[in-house]
Amino acid sequence: MDTGTIPVDSLSGGLDLYRTLESGQSYCWRRSDGEMYHGAEPEDSWYATVVDGDVIRIRQENGILEWESTTDAEAAVRRLVRLDDDLEAIVAAAPDDPLLRDAYDAHRGMRLVEDPPFGCLISFICSAQMRVSRIHTMVSTLAREYGEPIEFDGKTYHAFPTPDQLAAATEAELRELGLGYRAPYVVRTAEMVASGDADPAAARGFEYEAARDYLTQFVGVGDKVADCVLLFSLGFDEAVPLDTWIKSAIEEYYPDCDRGSYADTSRAIRERLGGEYAGYAQTYIFHHLRTGE
DNA sequence: GCCCAGGAAATAT
DNA sequence: ATATTTCATGGG
């Protein structure tokens, strides 16, 4: 077993691992006590994921971020929860308005995640009209039923299924697993990726709005889900997913940014939230409003 | 029972 | 192009 520690005070802007991993950005981690997305912070349990066949688990305790893995995972940990972001500078450069200031103050240390593209894509296809706790359950079920099992420290972990593994599933099976009308979306999108017809990671090479358009070719992916994948997986920090919470925030706090269409409203709110890191601002506002904290 | 949840696709105007 | 309707399902 490889292990390591990272002192939190070495990170600009600190770290709140609980809010980073349980704010509805990522559904690719599972908590060892099984209580993820149930509203309470972990005591001494771990968050675990599988990346490229390797189990990685992490926890934050007493000012230390600990990791344990089947391999030397420090670089992967830094990438997955974006420890090298200069969070202090991002917060300092954010627009100074009451809502955003409250959101940043309430959740200091929350970072964006960088999920693997395929898992992120399927996660947010599943997210349509679902609560975050159920999205997490659906993604965990897909991993358990179709993903590669990997033994580590006497326990079995499951990778998120590959496009091939998920494309081999049937719509009827996924409906049995509770995915509802999202079942055919997941199968058809997995088939598109497995066949090589399209690849979510390919959107990295495009300018922002072209990248969003590229992702909407996948079945079950509209502008909002595309923005989530761009923000939580592909490094487009300016992406602002216009979900129900941010729409209500626009209505109440930024009414002049409502321009009717998604594309035009997106440009306006992106500008209002600071442009380059507007997606960071969006994630804080989303979590702030959704949790009421 | 009713309502809602990090929406998207199909259909109608 | 934009507006309305339909689509599953567990939990409050």
Side-chain angles (χ1 to χ4, degrees):
Chain A
M1 181 190 304
D2 279 49
T3 69
T5 59
I6 300 169
V8 170
D9 63 15
S10 71
L11 308 171
S12 164
L15 173 67
D16 185 331
L17 189 64
Y18 166 63
R19 286 183 169 82
T20 299
L21 294 182
E22 301 199 40
S23 52
Q25 304 178 55
S26 176
Y27 301 94
C28 295
W29 295 82
R30 276 161 285 287
R31 226 168 92 174
S32 57
D33 63 4
E35 293 299 305
M36 196 154 175
Y37 284 119
H38 288 269
E41 297 195 36
E43 295 297 333
D44 54 1
S45 52
W46 296 82
Y47 292 99
T49 192
V50 178
V51 176
D52 296 331
D54 286 304
V55 177
I56 300 172
R57 62 187 188 197
I58 57 182
R59 68 177 175 183
Q60 178 176 7
E61 276 197 332
N62 304 322
I64 300 289
L65 178 63
E66 302 177 68
W67 62 264
E68 300 179 343
S69 177
T70 47
T71 186
D72 179 2
E74 174 156 341
V77 170
R78 286 188 168 276
R79 176 171 46 81
L80 292 166
V81 290
R82 298 183 55 159
L83 299 182
D84 296 318
D85 284 3
D86 190 343
L87 185 53
E88 202 170 299
I90 291 169
V91 174
D96 187 29
D97 73 67
L99 176 64
L100 193 47
R101 190 167 49 244
D102 283 352
Y104 271 123
D105 285 347
H107 307 293
R108 193 70 62 183
M110 182 170 79
R111 289 168 180 275
L112 285 185
V113 299
E114 185 178 321
D115 275 354
F118 184 64
C120 183
L121 178 65
I122 298 299
S123 295
F124 281 95
I125 288 173
C126 290
S127 78
Q129 295 294 102
M130 278 292 139
R131 293 176 212 277
V132 293
S133 61
R134 285 200 61 205
I135 301 165
H136 185 259
T137 300
M138 293 163 88
V139 174
S140 300
T141 300
L142 290 177
R144 188 187 70 232
E145 295 296 320
Y146 300 102
E148 207 62 38
I150 299 172
E151 302 293 324
F152 175 59
D153 191 32
K155 282 186 275 199
T156 303
Y157 297 84
H158 289 268
F160 190 78
T162 64
D164 280 320
Q165 289 171 323
L166 208 46
T170 66
E171 175 183 336
E173 287 172 0
L174 297 190
R175 283 181 183 274
E176 281 296 308
L177 294 174
L179 269 72
Y181 61 79
R182 304 153 198 80
Y185 301 167
V186 168
V187 175
R188 291 176 62 191
T189 288
E191 287 169 349
M192 291 171 71
V193 180
S195 69
D197 287 347
D199 175 6
R204 278 203 155 101
F206 294 82
E207 174 276 333
Y208 165 60
E209 290 194 13
R212 194 175 65 200
D213 286 343
Y214 177 83
L215 290 180
T216 60
Q217 74 181 292
F218 294 105
V219 184
V221 178
D223 289 327
K224 185 270 171 185
V225 167
D227 269 331
C228 288
V229 177
L230 294 177
L231 181 61
F232 302 135
S233 177
L234 300 179
F236 288 82
D237 296 340
E238 70 269 48
V240 177
L242 301 183
D243 60 83
T244 52
W245 290 100
I246 201 70
K247 282 178 179 169
S248 72
I250 290 171
E251 194 177 337
E252 188 160 350
Y253 297 91
Y254 314 103
D256 58 300
C257 290
D258 183 357
R259 306 295 168 85
S261 74
Y262 189 101
D264 291 342
T265 302
S266 171
R267 288 189 198 103
I269 192 66
R270 187 162 70 251
E271 198 62 28
R272 182 64 55 90
L273 295 180
E276 186 182 6
Y277 289 104
Y280 243 105
Q282 189 274 0
T283 299
Y284 272 81
I285 291 171
F286 170 83
H287 188 61
H288 182 51
L289 294 179
R290 190 181 73 81
T291 61
E293 297 171 13

